[in-house]
Amino acid sequence: MTAVAVLGAGISGLVAAYRLRRTLGPSARILLVDDADRDGGKLRTVDIGDVPVDVGAEAFVARRPEMPALLVELGLSDLLVRPSATARPLVRSGGALHPLPVGTLMGIPASAESVAHLVDAATVARIEAEATTPFRWTPGHDASLGDLISERFGPQVTARSVDPLLGGVYSGLSVTTGVRAALPGLAAALDAGATSLTDAVLRARPAPTSGPVFGGLRGGYRPVLEALAAEADAERVVTRVGSVTRAGSEWTVDGVGVVDAVVVALPAPAAAAALATFPTLADRLGAIELASSAVVALRFDGVDLPDNSGVLVATGELRHDGEPLRAKAFTLSSRKWPHLADRGGEFVRASFGRYGDAAIVDEPDGVLIDSARRDLADVLGVDTAPTAAVVQRWYGGLPQYRPGHLDVVADLEAAAAELPRLELAGAYLHGVGVPACVAVASAAAERTAAALA
């Protein structure tokens, strides 16, 4: 009997197990190994009252095909929902609320006009002059997004337009994020001879398309995770993943046993520990840093939120009393998602924690809830006690795509390719979003099945 161990029960591990079951058939033995007794990893849906609310990722890029296709396969297409067409996001900057800039590339402007409402006159003039300022870029070079943007457009653009968006995607900062991994289209434009950063952004911006950028799920991610687990029909092993070693044509997972193949779908540090006997893999995995974060989900009754999808917070932003705003973003879930608006009450998610700010995640529930309330009162004037609150901590939730990250990934994939029937999957490889994780895990399962055949 063919046996495959899938290490990690997050979305990557569940998709890999599901794909393996579909390909290998009912006779294969598939073991899904994780020290958590809950499937889903960094995806989790909780009930606030009788309303399911995601406290991990709550949306996905709908223009990628992976999630809609997976929903069709699982018979769950009716769960797909779109955000409100009228609720627009805001940015809190300089003590005031502003519309999120449009016509940018992850907040990087193609013109001064797009961010003029966020920055001062000197920065506007600097952006306008950037296209005629001497510019040098070495093809193949990687750089910090923050350094590049601040040098060419000024630090206000970085703090007020780019960092708020990157904080939501990577729980990171632009200064710790590499151009090539985070914005490959921008890197390609620079490599192709863009004459300025403005020129590169104009070349790299995606063409406008109709339809919403994001999609969500009625009922949250829970029904998808449950369907994947049911269809995978794997033996669920609740244990800390031990070391992975190879003996001849077989693999041994400490604490699990001998198997024919292994798919490692663990966060990078855990994968490094499991693969410690393979120095290249362990070294490269160990070089990938993670950011921790926390989500405070709040329900209010008798409160009217503005018709906006959320508020991103500029770095270094202060409350009106002079104290720092601690939340990096608020999602006004019941305004963003019409299916939640129909359930009664108002739902808000406050997000905390960027790379380098892990200490905030360790604060007691009461402190995080109080911080969410105080910041929400300052930002939106909502100074009412919530009727329910849930705190979710994500330790090591998101890998950081630092400069040089693509070289690390290339080394990892080359080293793994030398080891028959060992595959890697996870958010540290080719994108942190759910569609990217689904794509990487599906490819890993396909290669595993082909090798076993």
Side-chain angles (χ1 to χ4, degrees), residues 360-377:
I360 196 171
V361 182
D362 290 319
E363 295 182 356
D365 286 6
V367 173
L368 287 171
I369 292 170
D370 183 63
S371 292
R373 285 191 59 191
R374 293 179 66 189
D375 285 0
L376 188 61

Side-chain angles (χ1 to χ4, degrees), residues 232-319:
D233 192 24
E235 298 176 34
R236 186 65 162 84
V237 183
V238 181
T239 186
R240 186 186 69 82
V241 175
S243 63
V244 177
T245 56
R246 183 181 175 205
S249 61
E250 295 178 321
W251 292 90
T252 299
V253 180
D254 188 35
V256 177
V258 177
V259 293
D260 299 295
V262 178
V263 177
V264 181
L266 297 164
L275 298 169
T277 58
F278 304 98
T280 300
L281 288 175
D283 289 348
R284 300 300 185 273
L285 286 163
I288 298 172
E289 298 175 272
L290 305 181
S292 296
S293 61
V295 172
V296 179
L298 305 167
R299 174 174 179 155
F300 296 93
D301 291 300
V303 169
D304 287 326
L305 295 175
D307 189 23
N308 296 99
S309 59
V311 181
L312 302 176
V313 179
T315 51
E317 189 69 7
L318 301 178
R319 292 200 307 255

Side-chain angles (χ1 to χ4, degrees), residues 42-370:
K42 303 304 186 293
L43 300 180
R44 188 184 182 198
T45 307
V46 300
D47 292 321
I48 301 182
D50 60 348
V51 179
V53 176
D54 281 317
V55 289
E58 50 115 34
F60 53 85
V61 177
R63 293 173 183 173
R64 289 192 58 150
E66 292 87 358
M67 274 303 295
L70 182 62
L71 293 173
V72 170
E73 288 180 38
L74 297 172
L76 299 177
S77 292
D78 60 324
L79 299 184
L80 180 62
V81 293
R82 304 296 189 183
S84 166
T86 59
R88 301 297 184 186
L90 302 170
V91 176
R92 164 64 180 261
S93 175
L97 293 172
H98 308 273
L100 185 72
V102 297
T104 71
L105 179 67
M106 190 63 80
I108 310 173
S111 69
E113 181 183 6
S114 62
V115 294
H117 60 294
L118 286 180
V119 300
D120 61 22
T123 301
V124 168
R126 187 168 176 173
I127 298 169
E128 290 174 337
E130 193 273 336
T132 59
T133 303
F135 179 69
R136 290 185 60 189
W137 176 267
T138 302
H141 173 62
D142 202 2
S144 152
L145 268 173
D147 290 343
L148 176 63
I149 296 162
S150 294
E151 177 187 346
R152 300 298 296 181
F153 290 151
Q156 287 187 2
V157 174
T158 304
R160 300 179 183 183
S161 183
V162 181
D163 275 349
L165 286 164
L166 285 175
V169 176
Y170 296 102
S171 286
L173 295 167
S174 55
V175 73
T176 60
T177 304
V179 173
R180 309 198 80 82
L183 294 174
L186 181 64
L190 292 167
D191 288 348
T195 57
S196 64
L197 182 56
T198 301
D199 181 31
V201 172
L202 286 169
R203 296 189 194 192
R205 276 191 316 175
T209 58
S210 61
V213 175
F214 297 104
L217 297 165
R218 183 180 290 104
Y221 274 100
R222 180 191 292 153
V224 174
L225 300 174
E226 291 175 344
L228 285 170
E231 293 293 325
D233 192 24
E235 298 176 34
R236 186 65 162 84
V237 183
V238 181
T239 186
R240 186 186 69 82
V241 175
S243 63
V244 177
T245 56
R246 183 181 175 205
S249 61
E250 295 178 321
W251 292 90
T252 299
V253 180
D254 188 35
V256 177
V258 177
V259 293
D260 299 295
V262 178
V263 177
V264 181
L266 297 164
L275 298 169
T277 58
F278 304 98
T280 300
L281 288 175
D283 289 348
R284 300 300 185 273
L285 286 163
I288 298 172
E289 298 175 272
L290 305 181
S292 296
S293 61
V295 172
V296 179
L298 305 167
R299 174 174 179 155
F300 296 93
D301 291 300
V303 169
D304 287 326
L305 295 175
D307 189 23
N308 296 99
S309 59
V311 181
L312 302 176
V313 179
T315 51
E317 189 69 7
L318 301 178
R319 292 200 307 255
H320 291 100
D321 62 7
E323 293 295 317
L325 272 171
R326 308 192 75 205
K328 65 181 180 182
F330 293 97
T331 303
L332 309 185
S333 303
S334 46
R335 298 297 169 142
K336 180 176 181 179
W337 301 108
H339 71 283
L340 286 179
D342 296 339
R343 300 298 296 269
E346 297 277 19
F347 296 88
V348 177
R349 287 168 30 123
S351 299
F352 295 88
R354 291 182 172 95
Y355 175 73
D357 187 26
I360 196 171
V361 182
D362 290 319
E363 295 182 356
D365 286 6
V367 173
L368 287 171
I369 292 170
D370 183 63

